[in-house]
Amino acid sequence: LAHGSDWGGSIRVPSAWSGLVGLKATRGRVPLGGINELAMHVAQEGVLTRTVRDSAAALDWMQRTRPGYSAIPIRPPDRPYLDEVGTPPGTLQIALSVGSWGRATPPDPDVVALVRSAGLVLESLGHEIVEVADDDVVDFEVFWEVSMLGRGGIGGLTLGVQADEMGLVADESTVGPILAKSLRWSEE
């Protein structure tokens, strides 16, 4: 079992390449607490494990929190995830995407074929597969501009708040010129 956090695939990609189970939990499922949870709403905590059972047990443990600690309200599961392992899920509606997800380079045709093949397997198991276009998921250019590049992004917001919480001054002499610029943008 290994802990990880995932924004753009930091859990999912290594697990896929190494035959592990990678779990990036739903936003709010694993509480981070306070301003970090609101500001870092894209990156989520999770695990890399050898089995689905191990991932379920880890998620059961990781989602525990003190009342009021989580800034993102999310309904607790009806029962432990570990109890879900091996339980028939019923009919699921599963979104399938073979788009470029905001990247200039389209996906490799072999990857597209494998994703569609996985969709057919899931469909043969009785699930409903709905193919979605990139634009139906999110406008990636706007997302990237707002979250990372524009007006201080997430980094500038959390930097200023965390410095204040620790009684420190975040300026060029303490955080360097790049982070200081991000901080100034987030304050405008």
Side-chain angles (χ1 to χ4, degrees):
L1 174 111
H3 167 264
S5 62
D6 191 321
W7 184 331
S10 299
I11 291 173
R12 295 162 290 160
V13 172
S15 63
W17 278 93
S18 58
L20 297 173
V21 176
L23 174 68
K24 174 185 178 181
T26 298
R27 287 181 190 90
R29 179 60 62 203
V30 178
L32 303 174
I35 189 68
N36 271 345
E37 193 165 34
L38 293 174
M40 295 302 289
H41 63 280
V42 179
Q44 298 303 311
E45 303 299 306
V47 291
L48 291 89
T49 65
R50 292 180 190 257
T51 68
V52 170
R53 180 175 300 282
D54 290 345
S55 288
L59 185 57
D60 283 336
W61 186 84
M62 289 173 31
Q63 73 173 347
R64 301 173 310 139
T65 185
R66 299 184 307 271
Y69 185 71
S70 178
I72 302 173
I74 189 167
R75 186 176 67 84
D78 294 331
R79 61 187 185 165
Y81 289 106
L82 198 52
D83 292 351
E84 295 291 341
V85 176
T87 301
T91 300
L92 301 174
Q93 185 178 58
I94 301 170
L96 184 139
S97 172
V98 292
S100 61
W101 283 72
R103 296 194 166 109
T105 306
D108 183 279
D110 290 340
V111 172
V112 171
L114 286 170
V115 168
R116 288 211 167 102
S117 176
L120 291 173
V121 170
L122 292 166
E123 196 170 52
S124 76
L125 294 171
H127 302 299
E128 179 185 356
I129 305 303
V130 179
E131 188 158 340
V132 295
D134 282 357
D135 292 342
D136 294 338
V137 178
V138 70
D139 184 329
F140 286 95
E141 287 183 29
V142 170
F143 168 77
W144 189 253
E145 179 68 24
V146 168
S147 67
M148 288 299 297
L149 303 176
R151 311 317 299 161
I154 291 170
L157 174 63
T158 59
L159 177 64
V161 170
Q162 289 173 346
D164 288 345
E165 287 176 354
M166 295 186 300
L168 301 173
V169 175
D171 60 21
E172 193 164 321
S173 68
T174 58
V175 299
I178 295 172
L179 287 178
K181 182 176 183 180
S182 179
L183 179 60
R184 284 191 303 275
W185 281 345
S186 70
E187 292 172 342
E188 290 177 0

